[in-house]
């Protein structure tokens, strides 16, 4: 019985170390990988901190893995778009540079954007209907088809 209890204890400790080494958030929420920022998920932080309390090095590794993967952050809140808020701006894409498009966006919305960033996706859309269809396929957009007066 003593040898069996020792083997069980070793197995539990090994499982805990493996769990901590891979990062709690990475195992629990693999769909969160790639998030760059956001609010910290208290549950993941607490689990990683438990690893720090019990085993310093695995806890540090768990934090490092979860921060580097972005799995320590809560998912972003969906962006709600109303059709009435959309404005179509037409331009010739063959004769318009990225810098000119950034300027158009800044002038029309007041937002400064950098279209050369890694996380920017550029799509050619012909109409607001195309835009609504495209946005509805993205997970973080909540499209409202109601037109508000």
């Amino acid at each position: 019985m003593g040898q069996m209890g020792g083997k069980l204890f070793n197995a539990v400790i090994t499982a805990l170390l493996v769990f901590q080494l891979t990062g709690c958030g990475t195992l629990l929420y693999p769909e969160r990988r790639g998030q760059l920022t956001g609010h910290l998920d208290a549950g993941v932080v607490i689990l990683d901190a438990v690893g720090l309390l019990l085993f310093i090095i695995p806890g540090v590794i768990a934090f490092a893995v979860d921060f580097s993967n972005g799995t320590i952050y809560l998912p972003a809140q969906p962006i709600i778009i109303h059709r009435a808020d959309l404005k179509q701006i037409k331009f010739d894409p063959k004769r318009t540079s990225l810098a000119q498009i950034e300027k158009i966006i800044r002038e029309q919305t007041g937002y400064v954007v950098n279209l050369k960033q890694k996380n920017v996706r550029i799509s050619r859309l012909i109409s607001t209907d195309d835009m609504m269809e495209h946005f509805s396929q993205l997970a973080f957009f909540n499209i409202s088809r109601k037109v508000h007066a």
Side-chain angles (χ1 to χ4, degrees), residues 21-61:
L21 283 171
T22 56
C24 292
T26 302
L27 289 176
L28 296 173
Y29 305 108
E31 71 278 2
R32 292 185 185 175
R33 285 187 183 152
Q35 295 186 128
L36 301 176
T37 61
H39 296 287
L40 294 176
D41 183 338
V44 174
V45 171
I46 289 169
L47 287 172
D48 286 350
V50 166
L52 267 178
L53 292 174
L54 298 176
F55 316 101
I56 299 292
I57 293 174
V60 169
I61 292 171

Side-chain angles (χ1 to χ4, degrees), residues 6 10-11 20-21 27-28 32 53 63 72 78 93 97 99 109 134 142:
N10 288 341
Q20 284 302 125
L21 283 171
L27 289 176
L28 296 173
R32 292 185 185 175
L53 292 174
F63 269 113
I72 200 163
S97 69
T109 66
H134 182 75
N142 182 0

Side-chain angles (χ1 to χ4, degrees), residues 83 86 88 123-137 143 145:
R83 180 179 287 278
L86 296 177
Q88 184 174 6
S123 302
R124 182 178 181 166
L125 304 170
I126 306 301
S127 67
T128 54
D129 289 333
D130 280 352
M131 187 184 302
M132 296 296 281
E133 179 64 30
H134 182 75
F135 286 160
S136 69
Q137 294 173 5
I143 304 299
R145 301 224 180 255

Side-chain angles (χ1 to χ4, degrees), residues 40-124:
L40 294 176
D41 183 338
V44 174
V45 171
I46 289 169
L47 287 172
D48 286 350
V50 166
L52 267 178
L53 292 174
L54 298 176
F55 316 101
I56 299 292
I57 293 174
V60 169
I61 292 171
F63 269 113
V65 168
D66 286 342
F67 273 110
S68 67
N69 286 340
T71 54
I72 200 163
Y73 301 112
L74 289 168
Q77 295 297 318
I79 299 168
I80 299 173
I81 297 176
H82 302 286
R83 180 179 287 278
D85 296 334
L86 296 177
K87 181 177 181 181
Q88 184 174 6
I89 307 294
K90 294 185 180 187
F91 60 89
D92 184 357
K94 293 179 183 173
R95 296 190 178 152
T96 309
S97 69
L98 286 180
Q100 291 170 319
I101 295 172
E102 290 170 351
K103 182 180 177 190
I104 292 169
I105 293 170
R106 185 177 63 248
E107 290 172 351
Q108 296 296 321
T109 66
Y111 291 101
V112 176
V113 296
N114 179 357
L115 297 177
K116 294 179 185 174
Q117 288 180 327
K118 254 185 0 183
N119 62 343
V120 172
R121 183 184 307 171
I122 299 175
S123 302
R124 182 178 181 166

